[in-house]
């Protein structure tokens, strides 16, 4: 039984994992708050509707290191754990709204949240779920929103960066881990943006004040709070942020190379249909629990895999407009699809405290048993200069079975990529691809899917 | 003319109710702080956030309140328009309006 590496900061509770079971040990320090909220209508309704992860009280003997005075809760295991710096804009926005909606409903029941960390939200079947069942406690009359700054850093600032300035937040968020610092977003937003009360109140003013003398500010804060903060104002702040964030849109990505890929690519409709059918049949045959769609674009092949019988699909892509399309598809059809922003040549590594707090992408997806890599290998080899053998090795490592589409050098896309470059890819040939693949797997099916010679290879790994 | 004065008084009372005396003292104090030059000791971001919340809460509440009032005004104007066209069976007719003065 291992303690979850990311669950160490909270002195009142921590999470353990054993096989496929998740336990939360609530220490005496956190039990009063939990007891006060667990029977509330808000908590019960949120659990029943799936907005907060289900928790069942179990015997403390389930966790060997639990003390006599601990309470132990069990939660269902999440299919996939993902981090805010991997979420496309639509998912971070959905998580922010989910958090605020929960806070607003909780406040009506005089319950508040102790923090506003984006890591406390995960996605199941395309919908956000709040997973920290012990971070709620009764509202103390007059108290302010303690986690307001954390909310602004974790949710508001990254969304503003993309929506107001058209700059993606993922790479920065991955580096900063907690989110985008407020003084930094204040410097980036141009002055015209300052005319919004929300930006003035949550970004500009806090930044200006944070450069002033602490003691002066504390004096003002104390005097102001001698009577406490009215609950109506607390609620109004949440409501204002909720309405503001709901209106934020993804900008800066219109007309990206991949945004119209579904309708505007080098395939004929019949060729796309052939690939979709091949993916469906593959999924029907193998019924994978977790399939990785490498280069998922707007999710049309992920959807085909789910239709065929895959239980869950994680899509990896780097194009923001395409990922937005995948998120929209997921939302509209309630698919068990999680589109993530991942640079295939630089996926999320182990990081955080002791380099274990936030696990690498491959360790979180290690249960994947199937992979599809359609129209992407040439981007790894010719686009990113990764040797063909390494690229095949990396793709094949994601599952027992898979489909890889080989794109020949004569294809117009590759010709375009090489138009202004020296062709140093002498070893990028169909023969070498087959050699690389057969080193690791047995080719089960292969067929041409386009007039230009693109070919899909369905394979099954040796010794897996 | 009286209506306009009455209107101004109404707005003044409304603003006074929404921004209490404590708020006005707070705004004055913050103004002093903002206009001083930066200090070397940096504030932990939580303090700035908490110091500001009463103020931004008041603005947020005001925004919600005024948007609700504007929504009501729009509804009222729409119903007024309907009355003019004789669509509303509850119409009181234009003569009633002229009596208010």
């Amino acid at each position: 039984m291992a303690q979850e590496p990311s669950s160490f900061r909270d002195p009142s509770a921590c999470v353990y994992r054993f096989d496929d079971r998740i336990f939360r040990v609530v220490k005496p320090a956190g039990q009063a708050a939990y007891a006060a909220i667990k029977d509330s209508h808000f908590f019960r309704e949120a659990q029943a509707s799936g907005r907060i992860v289900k928790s069942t009280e179990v015997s403390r003997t389930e966790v060997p290191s639990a003390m006599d005075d601990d309470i132990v809760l069990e939660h269902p295991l999440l299919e996939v754990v993902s981090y805010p710096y991997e979420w496309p804009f639509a998912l971070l926005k959905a998580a922010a709204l989910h958090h605020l909606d929960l806070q607003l409903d909780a406040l009506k029941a005089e319950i508040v949240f102790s923090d506003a960390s984006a890591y406390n939200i995960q996605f199941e079947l395309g919908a956000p779920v709040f997973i920290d069942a012990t971070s709620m406690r009764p509202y103390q009359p007059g108290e302010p929103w303690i986690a307001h700054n954390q909310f602004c850093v974790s949710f508001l600032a990254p969304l503003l960066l993309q929506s107001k300035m058209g700059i993606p937040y993922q790479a920065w968020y991955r580096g900063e881990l907690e989110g985008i610092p407020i003084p930094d977003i204040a410097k980036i937003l141009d002055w015209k943006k300052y005319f919004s009360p929300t930006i003035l109140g949550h970004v500009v003013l806090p930044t200006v004040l944070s450069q002033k003398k602490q003691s002066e500010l504390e004096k003002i804060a104390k005097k102001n709070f001698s009577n406490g903060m009215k609950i109506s104002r607390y609620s109004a702040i949440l409501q204002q942020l909720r309405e503001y964030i709901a209106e934020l849109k993804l900008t800066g990505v219109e007309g990206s190379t991949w945004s119209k890929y579904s309708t505007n690519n080098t395939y004929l409709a019949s060729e796309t249909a052939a690939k979709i059918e091949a993916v469906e049949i593959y999924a029907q045959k193998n019924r994978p629990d977790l399939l990785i769609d490498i280069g998922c674009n707007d999710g049309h092949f992920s959807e085909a895999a789910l239709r065929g019988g895959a239980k869950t699909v994680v899509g990896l892509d780097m194009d923001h407009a395409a990922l937005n399309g995948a998120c929209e598809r997921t939302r509209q059809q309630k698919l068990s699809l999680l589109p993530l922003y991942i640079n295939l040549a630089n996926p999320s590594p182990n990081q955080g405290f002791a380099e274990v707090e936030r696990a690498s992408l491959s360790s979180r997806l290690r249960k994947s048993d199937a992979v599809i890599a359609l129209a992407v290998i040439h981007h790894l080899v010719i686009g990113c200069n990764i040797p063909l053998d390494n690229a095949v090795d990396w793709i094949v490592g994601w599952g027992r079975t898979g489909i890889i589409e080989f794109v020949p050098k004569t294809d117009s896309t590759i010709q375009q990529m090489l138009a202004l470059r020296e062709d140093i890819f002498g070893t990028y040939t169909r023969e070498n691809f087959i050699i690389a693949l057969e080193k690791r797997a047995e080719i089960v099916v292969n067929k041409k899917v386009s007039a230009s010679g693109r070919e899909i290879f369905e394979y099954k790994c040796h010794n897996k | 003319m009286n209506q306009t004065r009455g209107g101004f008084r109404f707005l003044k009372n409304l603003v006074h109710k929404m921004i209490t005396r404590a708020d006005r003292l707070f705004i004055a104090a913050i103004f002093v702080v903002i206009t001083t030059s930066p200090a070397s000791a940096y504030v932990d971001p939580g303090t700035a956030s908490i110091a500001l919340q009463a103020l931004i809460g008041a603005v947020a509440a005001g925004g919600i309140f005024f948007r609700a009032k504007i929504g009501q005004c729009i509804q009222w104007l729409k119903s007024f328009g309907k009355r003019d066209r004789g669509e509303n069976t509850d119409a009181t007719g234009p003569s009633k309006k002229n009596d208010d003065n």
Side-chain angles (χ1 to χ4, degrees), chain A residues 144-146 148-149 201-202 205-206 208-214 217-218 220-221 224-225 229 233 236-237 239-240 243, chain B residues 18 23 26 29-30 33-34 36 38-39 41-45 47-54 56-58 60-61 64 67:
Chain A
W145 183 12
I146 303 290
H148 166 247
N149 181 65
H202 300 282
L205 271 181
V208 169
L209 286 188
S210 66
Q211 282 153 14
K212 304 302 178 181
K213 231 159 139 201
Q214 170 100 11
L217 220 44
E218 272 174 8
I220 295 172
N224 203 47
F225 282 108
M229 164 129 142
R233 294 192 185 185
I237 293 177
Q239 183 69 30
Q240 178 197 46
E243 285 170 11
Chain B
M18 302 221 60
D23 290 324
F26 176 78
I30 285 290
V33 170
I34 288 175
T36 57
Y42 285 109
V43 167
D44 105 75
T47 311
S49 146
I50 288 169
L52 278 171
Q53 270 184 47
I56 53 185
I64 291 168
R67 270 202 303 284

Side-chain angles (χ1 to χ4, degrees), chain A residues 99-393:
Chain A
H99 186 96
L100 290 169
D101 285 338
L102 279 174
Q103 286 227 25
L104 279 162
D105 288 343
L107 201 56
K108 287 188 199 124
E110 307 220 339
I111 291 171
V112 292
F113 284 60
S114 312
D115 61 56
S117 163
Y119 294 90
N120 279 343
I121 295 189
Q122 292 294 330
F123 284 88
E124 291 257 274
L125 281 170
V129 179
F130 187 82
I131 59 164
D132 192 350
T134 51
S135 76
M136 287 152 276
R137 58 173 172 78
Y139 166 72
Q140 312 287 344
E143 70 166 300
W145 183 12
I146 303 290
H148 166 247
N149 181 65
Q150 187 180 28
F151 180 87
C152 292
V153 171
S154 305
F155 292 104
L156 181 66
L159 290 172
L160 285 176
L161 189 65
Q162 178 78 72
S163 181
K164 296 295 170 189
M165 303 309 292
I167 300 171
Y169 53 79
Q170 286 87 354
W172 193 347
Y173 209 145
R174 189 166 116 182
E176 275 288 343
L177 268 198
E178 296 312 314
I180 311 282
I182 297 300
D184 291 348
I185 191 70
K187 281 183 219 155
I188 286 177
L189 289 173
D190 61 87
W191 62 270
K192 290 192 286 278
K193 308 281 184 292
Y194 286 10
F195 290 104
S196 143
T198 308
I199 290 186
L200 266 179
H202 300 282
V203 175
V204 180
L205 271 181
T207 301
V208 169
L209 286 188
S210 66
Q211 282 153 14
K212 304 302 178 181
K213 231 159 139 201
Q214 170 100 11
S215 50
E216 286 295 319
L217 220 44
E218 272 174 8
K219 254 194 281 177
I220 295 172
K222 282 202 180 89
K223 217 183 337 172
N224 203 47
F225 282 108
S226 54
N227 294 330
M229 164 129 142
K230 285 195 232 174
I231 196 173
S232 58
R233 294 192 185 185
Y234 191 148
S235 180
I237 293 177
L238 294 169
Q239 183 69 30
Q240 178 197 46
L241 281 169
R242 207 264 175 224
E243 285 170 11
Y244 184 82
I245 289 175
E247 296 299 312
L248 292 178
K249 298 213 176 358
L250 176 67
T251 63
V253 302
E254 300 85 17
S256 72
T257 320
W258 305 108
S259 57
K260 304 268 190 306
Y261 185 73
S262 279
T263 50
N264 185 22
N265 55 46
T266 55
Y267 294 92
L268 297 172
S270 56
E271 292 168 349
T272 306
K275 279 184 18 174
I276 286 185
E277 196 194 351
V279 169
E280 265 188 64
I281 292 171
Y282 163 72
Q284 253 164 27
K285 229 191 314 186
N286 295 287
R287 305 231 157 233
D289 279 337
L290 179 58
L291 183 143
I292 312 296
D293 184 352
I294 298 184
C296 67
N297 199 265
D298 67 3
H300 47 297
F301 295 114
S302 304
E303 190 187 342
L306 288 166
R307 229 182 3 247
K311 190 160 158 245
T312 303
V313 175
V314 173
L316 312 178
D317 208 292
M318 260 185 84
D319 186 84
H320 296 282
L323 283 169
N324 200 47
C327 291
E328 189 52 31
R329 185 189 295 265
T330 303
R331 192 186 64 82
Q332 278 176 4
Q333 300 178 51
K334 297 201 177 21
L335 301 175
S336 183
L337 166 61
L338 182 59
L340 295 179
Y341 174 86
I342 298 287
N343 180 345
L344 302 179
N346 181 17
S348 317
N350 286 320
Q351 41 181 16
F353 182 66
E355 292 161 56
V356 294
E357 189 185 352
R358 301 296 166 203
S360 68
L361 183 74
S362 54
S363 61
R364 280 176 281 129
L365 298 181
R366 68 177 171 273
K367 281 175 122 189
S368 66
D369 46 0
V371 56
I372 57 177
L374 304 171
V376 77
I377 194 154
H378 53 308
H379 293 289
L380 287 171
V381 178
I382 299 185
C384 299
N385 284 24
I386 294 168
L388 181 58
D389 194 69
N390 296 62
V392 170
D393 189 62

